[in-house]
Amino acid sequence: MTVRVMVVDDHPMWRDAVESDLTRAGYEVVAVAANGREALARFAATEPDLVVLDLQIPAPDGVAVTTDIIDRRPQTRVLVLSASGEQDDVLAAVTAGATGYLVKSASREELLAAVARVADGEPVFTAGLAGLVLGEFQRRSAAEPDEPRLTDRETEVLRMVAKGMSYRAIAERLVLSHRTVQNHVQNVLRKLQMHNRVELTRYAIERGLDVDDEV
């Protein structure tokens, strides 16, 4: 199936160039946007499979847009394409839910390769950034206290949430009521001291839960 992509950048020439490269490579560019507000509105209207996104865009910025996108539709992949390679920007983007991060000095070939890999759910980073991200998450993990134990059912529900399944779909798969699934999710959020599906998804990925397996 053709991968449906949205391109978000406030620089028209750059945005048009990325759109053109993706179209020539066989991707379907379903929307473009110049700021965070446009991005969220057009994302809701088109529900792309992948978003190529600049961080430094008019409000809301790229980190906030990434958070909102993953919260609305966790199966959508986000590839950040930014002029900044600063550690804080990279970590903020990954924590928000971005699957990949490239700096704008990347070549056309590197961009297209990254889009293909991110579309498959594979993390992609400009050289040197992957080690930075891994090292930071390992540091944070080592600093965390022992985590509360989840029941087998809670873990099962967590994996399905991380796959982007709706509560209704989870209920049908597990032959449970919609309310029971909601209760399980609320229990997991409470135990892990988290607030939303985005945080649960990041938790599942960072802890190595095999969210790509069929459930």
Side-chain angles (χ1 to χ4, degrees):
M1 294 179 62
T2 301
V3 177
R4 304 169 70 254
V5 184
M6 179 170 74
V7 179
V8 184
D9 198 300
D10 61 332
H11 294 91
M13 291 183 63
W14 190 272
R15 185 174 65 244
D16 292 348
V18 172
E19 178 184 7
S20 177
D21 286 344
L22 292 173
T23 300
R24 288 203 301 269
Y27 295 97
E28 180 184 0
V29 179
V30 296
V32 296
N35 57 58
R37 181 177 53 79
E38 287 182 358
L40 293 177
R42 293 171 189 177
F43 174 81
T46 59
E47 295 190 339
D49 304 307
L50 189 147
V51 178
V52 179
L53 171 74
D54 187 12
L55 284 188
Q56 285 76 34
I57 55 175
D61 67 14
V63 171
V65 169
T66 299
T67 298
D68 204 314
I69 284 173
I70 301 303
D71 198 20
R72 294 187 194 187
R73 195 170 186 269
Q75 66 267 41
T76 294
R77 310 295 186 185
V78 175
L79 170 62
V80 171
L81 186 60
S82 175
S84 171
E86 294 296 320
Q87 173 174 324
D88 289 347
D89 288 335
V90 179
L91 294 176
V94 173
T95 302
T99 303
Y101 194 110
L102 287 186
V103 295
K104 285 186 172 181
S105 59
S107 68
R108 175 181 180 274
E109 291 72 24
E110 288 171 329
L111 170 62
L112 294 177
V115 168
R117 291 170 61 190
V118 168
D120 287 335
E122 182 181 349
V124 178
F125 298 94
T126 293
L129 298 184
L132 180 156
V133 172
L134 179 60
E136 177 62 14
F137 279 127
Q138 288 176 335
R139 185 192 65 77
R140 292 182 185 182
S141 179
E144 291 173 355
D146 291 340
E147 296 172 350
R149 294 180 61 85
L150 303 180
T151 67
D152 290 343
R153 178 65 87 188
E154 287 168 349
T155 300
E156 189 172 25
V157 169
L158 171 61
R159 293 178 63 226
M160 293 183 178
V161 167
K163 283 177 66 69
M165 295 176 65
S166 68
Y167 292 166
R168 187 174 302 280
I170 295 172
E172 291 175 356
R173 180 68 62 87
L174 298 180
V175 195
L176 299 172
S177 70
H178 186 274
R179 177 57 62 85
T180 299
V181 171
Q182 286 182 317
N183 288 340
H184 281 310
V185 172
Q186 289 304 313
N187 287 339
V188 173
L189 287 170
R190 177 179 51 78
K191 286 184 177 181
L192 300 179
Q193 298 183 351
M194 295 180 182
H195 304 93
N196 53 47
R197 290 174 63 121
V198 176
E199 294 180 353
L200 288 182
T201 300
R202 297 306 303 170
Y203 173 89
I205 294 172
E206 290 165 13
R207 295 325 186 266
L209 291 180
D210 195 359
V211 298
D212 291 325
D213 281 353
E214 290 296 326
V215 293

